[in-house]
Amino acid sequence: MLSAWSLGIAQASPRGTPWACRVIDDSSRGADGVKLGDINGDGLLDIVTGWEEGGLTRVYLHPGAGKAKGPWPSVTVGKTPSVEDAVFVDLDNDGATDVATCCEGDTRTVFVHWAPKERADLLVAHKWEQAPIPASLGKMQWMFAQPVQVDCRNGVDLIAAGKNANAQLGWFEAGEDPRDLAAYQWHAICPVGWVMSIRLSDMDADGDPDIVVSDRRGALRGCRWLENPGPGPAQHEAWRNHFIGGSDHEVMFLTLADYDKDGLEDVLVAAKEAEVLWFRRLNAQGTSWHTMRIPYPENTGTAKAVAVGDMDGDGRNDLVVSCEHAVAPKSGVMWMPYLGNLSDPEWIPHEISGPRGIKFDRIELIDMDGDNDPDVLTCEEREGGKGIGVFWYENPLPRGHGAKADG
């Protein structure tokens, strides 16, 4: 018998009707995270995703608002067994946006996928060239990478981190010729247990990018930020560690956002089993934080990711959360506005995914279809042994629909 989901019919629940799911790609297995970037210069955000079980990395070009609800034009840019993360970066500064991938398992390698210089060739698979960074080979199970100019020399550098045995957080220093991957040098910053997020932000307002991480295991678990010692010779100094919170939790994906709109960027992280930890920043230096626990709704899976945005156009920030272990009838993606004020809030759960999907990933809130509201982009890697793939949920909310502050 065909299920309601196979017929495309969303089933209502007390928390509302699930949003329409628009599948971008379901051609491989184990879609594991989405990253964004405009790689063809058309003003629209494209997507890169590693498919862990499928052992490949794919790029998706935004087809325009009128075609965004169907499958997107795509290309396989490389074979990447056990890929955990993929990110856009113009590593050689030639104007063409490349891809860097992190692989765990037995692969334990960071790869670079050099993009073709002609934009007309972006969807031609053999025009992409894959090569490993030799300094990464076998060093650890690589989990996450983030491009940034660390030392103000040569090309873009890569902040990266891993998990389990010998795991570190550090950065790959580009050489004089950023195309020469053999010249990249690894600089360890600190040991880690299992890094889930790497974000860049000037946490101490001194003009250089600091590193914000969520680390779910080990002696330094929790959320913390590493203070950039500065460019050039200063990079020989240690990156000072500043704890934010969550050392007594298994923290998952984090996001940076001024949730309470007080002018200071906060940190919010999904934490197992099922809650969001909101670390409200109390000073501009990033040294004082107040922790608030926000429970996940009942009948959901375990916490995986959180994102912040005004989903209903009422001028207030809402939470969007995703889950693992969301076996039906549990829900895997929901959004939560709040009633009252943030000194004594009541979060109200609303459905997004319904019971379809089991293991969701990080979330991006962007307007996919050009109707001026934030849709929810994510991926799912377990349903039916293959996963739903890469997809987005279409925001159906009229602007100004949500809960308002008392008074």
Side-chain angles (χ1 to χ4, degrees), residues 95-106:
T97 302
D98 313 302
V99 171
T101 52
C102 293
C103 296
E104 57 157 343
D106 294 329

Side-chain angles (χ1 to χ4, degrees), residues 50 73 81 91 103 130 132 138 186 212 260 286 299 323 335:
L91 205 58
C103 296
Q130 175 176 321
W186 172 251
V212 187
D260 55 0
N299 202 34
C323 303
W335 74 282

Side-chain angles (χ1 to χ4, degrees), residues 3 101 137 139 146 153 210 235 238 242 282 300 313 316 323 364 371 407:
S3 69
T101 52
L137 294 172
K139 187 174 290 293
Q146 187 73 28
R153 299 174 60 247
D210 305 303
Q235 281 299 319
H242 300 270
L282 301 181
T300 59
R316 304 172 64 177
C323 303
E364 293 285 353
D371 63 355

